[in-house]
């Protein structure tokens, strides 16, 4: 007598929750990376505009104090760009880690889904064979009764 194996429903549900959580973390990591990319782009645009403005002022003539302020701001922006590039690298690594983790959880979930399908199919086949054997036995018993003259 075969007994149906334990249900994978609870484990499958747990794995799905883990996959969903991993997907959320991946999306958050992507958003954080995009935010840092936008910050970097803004800093680069500001630096380029400041350098162009300084070049124009230098052609027309610029006071030393104003030149010093421009140079300080340019130095500051370059430092910020370096820091933001480092942060962007860190965010890119985080996105890759979260992506790998999501893929792992997704594979685990799919494997369990397939296992559950196989388990259910095996159980259904077992039930069908059992039912067929029972129907065969009923048919044999009826046939024996009919041969004996009993109805």
């Amino acid at each position: 007598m075969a007994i149906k194996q334990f249900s994978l429903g609870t484990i499958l549900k747990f794995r799905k929750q883990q996959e969903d959580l991993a997907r959320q973390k991946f999306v958050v990591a992507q958003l954080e990376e995009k935010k840092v990319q936008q910050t970097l782009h803004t800093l680069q645009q500001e630096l380029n505009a400041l350098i162009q403005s300084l070049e124009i002022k230098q052609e027309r003539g610029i006071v030393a104090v104003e030149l010093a302020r421009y140079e300080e701001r340019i130095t500051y922006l370059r430092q910020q760009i370096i820091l933001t590039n480092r942060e962007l690298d860190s965010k890119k690594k985080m996105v890759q880690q979260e992506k790998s983790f999501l893929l792992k959880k997704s594979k685990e979930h799919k494997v369990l889904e397939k296992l559950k399908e196989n388990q259910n199919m095996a159980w259904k086949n077992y039930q069908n064979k059992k039912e067929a054997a029972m129907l065969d036995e009923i048919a044999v018993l009826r046939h024996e009764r009919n041969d004996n003259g009993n109805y």
Side-chain angles (χ1 to χ4, degrees):
M1 176 181 199
I3 300 174
K4 185 175 180 183
Q5 294 178 342
F6 67 95
S7 172
L8 291 173
T10 303
I11 296 170
L12 194 56
K13 183 178 176 184
F14 176 71
R15 295 289 186 182
K16 180 65 175 154
Q17 288 172 343
Q18 286 185 320
E19 181 184 1
D20 291 344
L21 182 60
R23 183 171 287 108
Q24 289 172 355
K25 286 182 177 183
F26 175 63
V27 169
V28 167
Q30 283 181 315
L31 292 173
E32 288 177 359
E33 178 189 5
K34 188 172 184 172
K35 183 178 176 184
V36 173
Q37 284 176 333
Q38 289 172 341
T39 300
L40 180 61
H41 181 70
T42 301
L43 287 170
Q44 289 170 335
Q45 283 183 324
E46 184 180 348
L47 176 63
N48 291 337
L50 195 61
I51 290 171
Q52 286 178 352
S53 176
L54 177 59
E55 287 172 356
I56 292 170
K57 288 195 180 252
Q58 284 177 328
E59 287 175 5
R60 295 180 184 160
I62 188 169
V63 181
V65 173
E66 191 176 4
L67 177 63
R69 278 189 277 160
Y70 269 91
E71 289 176 353
E72 285 176 15
R73 183 68 182 163
I74 289 170
T75 301
Y76 171 78
L77 288 173
R78 286 183 174 151
Q79 289 171 346
Q80 290 303 307
I81 288 172
I82 291 169
L83 293 174
T84 305
N85 271 320
R86 288 180 188 155
E87 184 180 2
L88 182 58
D89 289 343
S90 173
K91 296 297 182 184
K92 285 180 179 182
K93 286 178 187 174
M94 183 59 78
V95 166
Q96 283 299 16
Q97 288 173 352
E98 295 297 343
K99 182 179 181 180
S100 295
F101 188 69
L102 172 59
L103 289 174
K104 177 184 170 193
K105 292 301 175 183
S106 181
K107 285 178 185 176
E108 288 175 359
H109 180 244
K110 286 178 183 173
V111 165
L112 277 175
E113 277 183 334
K114 188 68 175 169
L115 181 61
K116 183 179 179 184
E117 286 175 19
N118 291 344
Q119 185 185 52
N120 287 341
M121 185 63 73
W123 179 250
K124 186 176 180 180
N125 288 340
Y126 168 76
Q127 293 286 44
N128 288 341
K129 285 179 184 178
K130 192 174 176 182
E131 183 180 335
M134 192 169 46
L135 291 174
D136 287 346
E137 190 175 329
I138 291 171
V140 167
L141 290 174
R142 282 194 174 172
H143 182 67
E144 287 176 1
R145 281 189 197 169
N146 288 338
D147 285 348
N148 293 333
N150 298 332
Y151 291 102

